[in-house]
Structures are given as structure tokens and as C-alpha cells.
Amino acid sequence: MDGMVLAPADFVALLNQTLEFAYPSVVIEGELSNFRISKNRWVYFDLQDELASVKFFGTVYNLPGPLEDGLKIRVVGSPRLHPRFGFSVNIASISPVGEGSIKKAADLLATKLQAEGLFDETRKRRLPEIPATIGLITASNSAAYADFIKILNERWGGVVVHLADVYVQGAQAPLQIVRAVEYFNELSSLVDVLVITRGGGSAEDLASFSDERVVRAVAASRIPTVVAVGHEIDISLAELAADLRASTPSNAAQLVVPHRSQSIAGLATARKSLGDVITQRFQAAAQETQSSREYLTAQVNLLLSDRQKMLQSTKKLMSAYDPRAALKRGYAIVSKQGKTIASVRQLKPGDNLGVQLADGTIGAKVQEV
Amino acid sequence: MAKSQTKTYQQLSDELNKLIDWFESESVNLDEAVDKYEQAMDILKRMEEHLQTAENQVKKIAVKFDAG
């Protein structure tokens, strides 16, 4: 290269080729300073220590959440010489490091997302009572996976678990988790419930679950989502955005399916109460038939006795009209040639009469009229 | 996530609850009651079988979630 004359553009191209070959990816950790976002899209900052300061460049999509100067962060990127703006490291991923910085970054993000309402109780949906399918996002070789499946099998059967095997820590974890959540949400037939889980670890190990992209993906999931990270005491922002937080992977399995022994007991109760209810229904119907029979009998009897009374009074009335009753009291019926005589004008002296008394008829002759 | 031909436990549970509601309603036709009672017993049997025999399956998704 000695004595070789290069145009500035050629020098830049040559240097970038060399950098790409020698340092395709570097990981740099330092204190964040001069952090700024331009046009809501471009991100610029420096990482520094006591002896040096390095410039970085990226987009907002690389950010794990809101950042501020003073935080200690680790950046994965590739060094580049820009033809006009000079040297910088192009960012591939950023993660806060050290407990203090991780907590500070999580607090900044929590405040922002809280204000947007991502953690509101009103956003939370109920899980299905008994899922037939579960989308499980975790590392397949992890204790978290083994614990979840173990407890699931102990409690319930017949569930199809679709496992998305992802990194749950490290620089690749946030985007892998986001892609897995999106994968499940884009299926034409959705799973009944989504479970995102990992075991306990250091603040750094769990940091992916407080990454803004992960938290937003959880909040945006169309599928009811459970997030279980770490031990009882670890709370990540993804858990706050989930429909339900579980304290451990085992606890997630407890929350998504009932225990079969409870269900067996429930079925026995249902069987007994169905038996009882059908017996009651038949008894009630028999009782109703019996009551109807008694009512009908009573009604018929009432009708009969009414008719009987009516008959009696008619009988009395009829006997009052009976002419024989008058004959018994001493009256007589006078007839001539079989015709009853009601007037003296029908008679003349010498007519032969029949005189009917109560106990017989006598013959008589008219003497005078 | 194609659902299998057989009914899920939740579907059976929903059907059973519908039948229980029917039995608890005001007007129950006795001829229908016998029929529905038999249906309920059949569903209960299938649910119990599910609880005693069904096993979970894990299907690993053949998709890489790597960046890029």
C-alpha cells in the first residue's frame, strides 16, 4: 500500500472492507452519553469510559426501550467509516447491563408504557377455562420448559402444545420472542392461550422480558397471554403487559389448565344432580297427574250432586202438579163420555157423568143445571 | 392448529352445561327429558374417559425465529 494514492471514497471503501473482514461484529460495553433521537427514527450516542469515547448510530427499532445518559449498556454492532460523518459503530442490538442500569432502563420504560395504558387492568382478558391448544414460547432445553410440561401433564391431558423454541436471554432473545409471538398471532387458526416463560436468573438474564419490543408484542397479542419469568420475586414488564402473570413456569401450567381430580369430582357431582333432577321431574309429573285425577273426580262429583239436587226439586214441583194429589184432598174430576168437564155450560139435565175420586170412579146423572 | 374431528373437552363441557340448564328450566317435556338425560350421560362418560386417558402432545414448530 506504500506510496499508493487513493481518492477519499476509495479509502473509505477500502477501510470498510478491512473492518468488515476483521471485525464483522463487536460487542462494546460502556456508559451512555450524548444520547439523542433524530426525526423519531435515527439514534445517535456515544459510549465512553475514562480513556475513550466511541460514536454509535442506529434506528429506534434497535432500542430495547427508552434510554438516558449515564446508563451502562452493551451494544452489539459493526464498525463503519461513513463517507461524510466519519467513524461510528452501526448498532445491531442494545441491552442495559448491570443491575442498576437494567433497573433504571426498566423504570423509564415502565413509566412510558404505564402512561400509554399498556398495563391497565381493563385490557386484561380471561383465559379460556380449558384450552385445547397452547402456544409455548421458551427455550426447549430449559428447566422452565421441563417444569411447565411436567406440571401440565400432572394436571391435565389432551392439550396440544405448539412449542416455539427461542433464546430467552442474550442479544437475540428479544427479537426471537417478538417473532414467535407474531408467528402465533398470524396463524389462521389461533391457539387458545399463549405462554411465554423462562426460569430465574440475573437481572441481565431476565432483561429481554423488560425489552420494549417484547412488552409491546405481549400487549398486542390477540391470544390471551400468560407470562411467567423467573422466581416469585422477579417481575418483568412483559408480565405486567400480559393478561395473566404467573410466578414460575410451574405456576403458569397451574393457571392455564385445571386439575383433572377437581374435574372428575365436578363430573360426579353433575352426574348426581342430573339424576336427582330427572327423578324430581318425574315425581313432580306423577304428583301432577295425581292432583289432576283428584280434581277431576271432585269436579264430576260436584256436577253429579248438582244434577241430583235439580232432579229432586223438579220431582217436588211435578208432584205438586199431579191431579191425584188434589183428588186425595177430596176434589173430584167430572167427565162426560170420557171428556173432562170444566164448565156447567157443557152439561144439561140427564147427562151421564163419571166422577173420579182418589180411590175410584162413580157413575152419576145430572139432575139440574 | 387444525382441530381434530373429535370434540374437545371444552366443547363437551359446554354441551353438558347446556343440557343441565335445560333440565333446570321451567318447562321440561318428559319425553325429551329422557332423551336429553341419555345424551348427558353419554357426554359425561366421554368427559371422564378424556380425563382418564388423554395425553398431552408437544409439537415443535419448524420455524426459526432468528433475526433477518
Side-chain angles (χ1 to χ4, degrees), chain A residues 124-142:
Chain A
K124 310 217 178 285
R125 294 158 296 189
R126 281 171 63 94
L127 301 188
E129 221 173 301
I130 302 156
T133 51
I134 296 174
L136 178 62
I137 301 175
T138 192
S140 65
N141 58 359
S142 64

Side-chain angles (χ1 to χ4, degrees), chain A residues 135-364:
Chain A
L136 178 62
I137 301 175
T138 192
S140 65
N141 58 359
S142 64
Y145 169 75
D147 287 350
F148 180 84
I149 295 294
K150 178 173 167 268
I151 301 298
L152 189 78
N153 289 341
E154 273 176 23
R155 293 176 68 84
W156 196 256
V159 180
V160 180
V161 177
H162 297 272
L163 170 68
D165 187 12
V166 296
Y167 285 117
V168 289
Q169 67 188 64
Q172 284 176 288
L175 282 180
Q176 284 207 352
I177 296 167
V178 168
R179 288 204 175 91
V181 172
E182 286 170 354
Y183 168 83
F184 281 115
N185 275 277
E186 284 161 8
L187 292 174
S188 56
S189 175
L190 297 177
V191 292
D192 294 332
V193 63
L194 203 57
V195 176
I196 309 172
T197 190
R198 64 150 288 150
S202 66
E204 219 160 289
D205 292 341
L206 306 182
S208 300
F209 290 84
S210 290
D211 183 290
E212 183 167 0
R213 293 160 295 183
V214 172
V215 182
R216 286 194 186 280
V218 168
S221 175
R222 292 194 288 155
I223 307 160
T225 302
V226 180
V227 177
V229 174
H231 305 305
E232 299 278 347
I233 46 157
D234 305 318
I235 295 187
S236 63
L237 299 184
E239 287 170 279
L240 299 180
D243 293 297
L244 191 64
R245 172 187 178 249
S247 55
T248 60
S250 303
N251 181 230
Q254 287 165 352
L255 295 177
V256 294
V257 290
H259 198 290
R260 50 163 72 77
S261 65
Q262 285 167 2
S263 301
I264 289 172
L267 292 184
T269 309
R271 187 184 286 279
K272 185 180 177 312
S273 67
L274 271 171
D276 288 350
V277 83
I278 198 159
T279 309
Q280 277 166 15
R281 288 289 178 183
F282 272 98
Q283 278 171 350
Q287 182 70 43
E288 211 173 301
T289 312
Q290 179 62 24
S291 307
S292 301
R293 188 200 304 273
E294 282 167 11
Y295 174 76
L296 280 174
T297 311
Q299 285 301 105
V300 167
N301 286 343
L302 207 63
L303 204 64
L304 277 176
S305 103
D306 266 7
R307 287 292 151 94
Q308 230 152 19
K309 271 184 200 154
M310 215 192 288
L311 207 64
Q312 286 299 334
S313 63
T314 311
K315 223 168 160 182
K316 261 188 196 162
L317 196 67
M318 292 311 288
S319 64
Y321 288 140
D322 188 352
R324 284 172 296 187
L327 297 183
K328 276 182 186 158
R329 294 202 298 273
Y331 293 90
I333 298 168
V334 177
S335 60
K336 186 178 93 178
Q337 291 166 342
K339 282 186 179 167
T340 305
I341 301 301
S343 165
V344 290
R345 286 197 290 271
Q346 292 172 269
L347 298 174
K348 55 186 190 299
D351 283 349
N352 285 322
L353 302 174
V355 179
Q356 190 186 348
L357 300 170
D359 53 354
T361 303
I362 55 168

Side-chain angles (χ1 to χ4, degrees), chain A residues 16-97:
Chain A
N16 277 334
Q17 270 179 19
T18 312
L19 283 172
E20 202 172 319
F21 179 75
Y23 306 105
S25 175
V26 291
V27 183
I28 305 171
E29 214 173 275
E31 189 189 312
L32 181 66
S33 68
N34 297 322
F35 178 78
R36 67 192 174 89
I37 296 173
S38 165
K39 295 175 185 163
N40 278 327
R41 184 174 166 83
W42 309 114
V43 173
Y44 304 89
F45 59 80
D46 301 337
L47 279 194
Q48 60 183 27
D49 57 17
E50 295 81 11
L51 301 174
S53 175
V54 179
K55 291 189 183 309
F56 287 78
F57 168 72
T59 70
V60 290
Y61 307 111
N62 300 128
L63 293 176
L67 298 175
E68 64 177 27
D69 287 355
L71 287 177
K72 194 175 174 200
I73 61 169
R74 180 182 301 159
V75 183
V76 180
S78 38
R80 286 285 180 278
L81 185 62
H82 191 276
R84 296 199 182 281
F85 307 125
F87 180 83
S88 66
V89 177
N90 284 2
I91 303 161
S93 73
I94 303 171
S95 46
V97 284

